[in-house]
Amino acid sequence: MANTRASSSSLDPLCSRFLSPSPISVYVLLLLLFSTVVVFFSHRQIAQVSHQPFVSELPPVLEDKHLWDSSHGYGYKQCIKPTHRYKPPQDVNRYLTVRNNGGLNQMRTGICDMVAVARIMNATLVIPELDKRSFWQDSSTFSDIFDENHFINALQGDIHIVRELPKELASLPRARKHFTSWASVSYYEEVSHLFKDYKVIHVPKSDSRLANNDLPIDIQRLRCRALYHALQFSAPIQDLGKKLVERLKSHGRYIALHLRYEKDMLSFTGCTYGLNDSEAEMLTALRENTKHWKLKKINSTEQRIGGFCPLTPKEVGIFLQALGYPPATYIYIAAGEMFGGDTYLSDLRSRFPNLVFKVLPSCAKLCLVQTMLPILPPIITLNFLQETLATAEELKKIVSHASQAAAIDYIISVESDVFVPSYTGNMARAVEGHRRYLDHRKTINPDRKGLVELFDKMENGELKESSTLSPLVTRMHKSRQGSPRKRYGSLPGMKGRNRLRTEESFYENPLPECICRN
């Protein structure tokens, strides 16, 4: 899934014209913008997330156990050690080269699948090449995002990994092989016969190359060791992520909200509920003109009723409020640029003013802050700056790299007190699986289909947003908060390869292979 990360770290030409205004224009600008700021931000009292001390006027978040406490594992623990049958890797002269595809989390799970495939095929893995040609257009290399040395060393007891092909093999012909999706061990044992004719097999795509179920326990545990221990983020990303988590936690508990209300996601899913005609037409045109998106004609109403649309910011606000989270709750927005900007985000902010972002959402706000800092009253200036969690200096090296920015979101989401995804995508699945692995930290998965029924009743006047709604929403999500359970199998009635497609992802819930009772 696309996960566009936008940056406002530099000013565009329009912004620069405001930085040296004439005395008259300053006076006029002051009057107009000051009045606009006061009206626009009068309902917002956002608590500070910068280094400077500031006391919020909102009451502290209620320390309610049912809102924040996770299950603490219910006696389940990590179990990833190899069995006694597991042997060290053999030293062989055959290699696997890989080009990852997709966004950050699609590449992460793909890399771990290739680690397991290299083990099955008894091949040396060359450090994978990351996707630079997809929607994200990210030029990051493996070592920009991940700790390459740690990755190699941590897996030395499992497979051989090299940074590049030996020179004598670099010019030799390679077998180019598109591995089948959700493949078994027997499939890769058969494919290994290609090494009789070639020293190198090249894999153009890495996502979903291994089955979710029915694999040897040692292969499943290797996938977990690769993902949760070997494939660590690079030191600069780790350090910044830790720093931002500490800033958030200095104000108490917080929710990480993976709000997938972004242009590419709405276009891909065909979800236009609540948008005007021109916005809906723009999203449809984007979908029709994106070649690798196979489905072009989508019924938006059917998508929403079936629960296949991301929740809107307004719906997320209603949902969290119905669960009992108070307005003072800190919510970190783990996402790219919101579709429609503040037009739709304001519905969520009206219920939860303490929304926190990595950076300012748009250049317009950045221009306004930088222009008006010397003349705006301190409290107004503070309200602008409080939305951001990191400084421009801290983010300058990653804001232009979508995958590195996504890594920061991932760290903050994994370490949050509560994680809430508004849609089930690659990041939502990866974060949920990681949180399950870490003693089943609280993860609330909205029942989008059930919630849409309630929202429609509210819109039709059949249900009011009052004390009646809260018990309905709470009861609906009692068993959707990340407590231990075995991974789901395929949907009933599915046959053939379609059955494999509907299974719950191994990386979404690695129980029982990597999580077991004491």
Side-chain angles (χ1 to χ4, degrees), residues 78-375:
Q78 302 166 5
C79 47
I80 60 170
K81 290 183 178 180
T83 67
H84 67 278
R85 299 182 299 273
Y86 197 73
K87 298 179 180 179
Q90 300 177 27
D91 191 6
V92 293
N93 188 31
R94 53 191 196 182
Y95 296 82
L96 204 62
T97 62
V98 179
R99 192 185 76 82
N100 289 117
N101 60 297
L104 173 70
N105 291 289
Q106 192 170 336
M107 290 193 292
R108 288 175 68 245
T109 55
I111 291 168
C112 297
D113 273 3
M114 289 300 104
V115 167
V117 168
R119 170 75 190 194
I120 295 169
M121 298 179 71
N122 192 27
T124 296
L125 179 67
V126 180
I127 288 291
E129 176 189 352
L130 303 189
D131 192 337
K132 298 179 177 62
R133 299 180 294 181
S134 68
F135 185 94
W136 296 269
Q137 297 292 304
D138 191 336
S139 61
S140 299
T141 64
F142 189 96
S143 59
D144 290 329
I145 301 177
F146 305 111
D147 186 333
E148 192 171 285
N149 289 332
H150 179 79
F151 180 68
I152 294 173
N153 295 330
L155 294 171
Q156 62 183 354
D158 300 293
I159 62 170
H160 293 301
I161 304 176
V162 295
R163 290 179 172 81
E164 56 186 20
L165 276 174
K167 292 182 179 180
E168 64 271 18
L169 298 180
S171 59
L172 293 181
R174 308 177 191 181
R176 181 182 173 90
K177 181 65 177 178
H178 282 268
F179 292 152
T180 189
S181 300
W182 306 294
S184 64
V185 168
S186 61
Y187 169 84
Y188 286 108
E189 290 173 344
E190 180 66 28
V191 172
S192 295
H193 294 162
L194 286 171
F195 282 123
K196 291 181 179 180
D197 301 315
Y198 298 92
K199 293 289 186 182
V200 182
I201 296 177
H202 177 66
V203 186
K205 287 189 176 183
S206 63
D207 63 319
S208 303
R209 299 303 110 178
L210 265 178
N212 293 302
N213 303 305
D214 302 322
L215 294 178
I217 186 71
D218 277 323
I219 293 300
Q220 297 288 55
R221 290 183 176 180
L222 172 57
R223 295 166 90 180
C224 290
R225 291 198 299 276
L227 184 60
Y228 302 129
H229 299 277
L231 196 62
Q232 293 184 359
F233 291 120
S234 63
I237 291 176
Q238 289 271 32
D239 293 343
L240 179 57
K242 181 180 179 181
K243 185 184 297 184
L244 300 188
V245 168
E246 289 174 350
R247 287 179 193 170
L248 274 167
K249 286 188 176 291
S250 68
H251 300 284
R253 299 180 177 185
Y254 73 93
I255 294 174
L257 172 61
H258 188 42
L259 188 59
R260 296 294 274 125
Y261 204 72
E262 300 148 322
K263 181 166 67 174
D264 59 294
M265 175 53 64
L266 296 179
S267 176
F268 177 80
T269 56
C271 297
T272 58
Y273 172 77
L275 306 181
N276 58 45
D277 291 341
S278 61
E279 290 172 330
E281 291 172 2
M282 178 185 67
L283 294 176
T284 301
L286 174 60
R287 182 171 65 254
E288 292 175 347
N289 294 326
T290 304
K291 294 181 180 179
H292 62 278
W293 290 352
K294 297 179 180 179
L295 195 60
K296 303 299 182 183
K297 302 297 180 182
I298 301 177
N299 186 309
S300 179
T301 301
E302 291 179 359
Q303 281 285 93
R304 182 171 179 272
I305 292 174
F308 303 121
C309 288
L311 295 179
T312 69
K314 179 179 180 180
E315 290 170 342
V316 171
I318 297 173
F319 169 61
L320 293 177
Q321 204 166 58
L323 286 176
Y325 290 97
T329 302
Y330 278 83
I331 300 179
Y332 175 78
I333 305 297
E337 185 174 356
M338 294 294 100
F339 183 75
D342 201 68
T343 302
Y344 299 109
L345 198 59
S346 60
D347 291 321
L348 173 60
R349 183 182 285 115
S350 66
R351 297 170 186 271
F352 295 95
N354 288 342
L355 300 185
V356 183
F357 302 84
K358 287 189 299 296
V359 293
L360 286 166
S362 66
C363 177
K365 286 188 178 181
L366 181 63
C367 297
L368 185 59
V369 171
Q370 293 193 357
T371 305
M372 302 297 288
L373 279 179
I375 48 182

Side-chain angles (χ1 to χ4, degrees), residues 18-19 93 112 134 151 173 261 292 377 380 393 418 483 498:
F18 285 97
L19 296 181
N93 188 31
C112 297
S134 68
F151 180 68
Y261 204 72
H292 62 278
I380 299 299
E393 180 67 21
V418 177
S483 58
N498 286 334

Side-chain angles (χ1 to χ4, degrees), residues 67-78:
L67 294 178
W68 300 102
D69 283 2
S70 59
S71 65
H72 299 295
Y74 285 116
Y76 283 87
K77 297 295 181 182
Q78 302 166 5

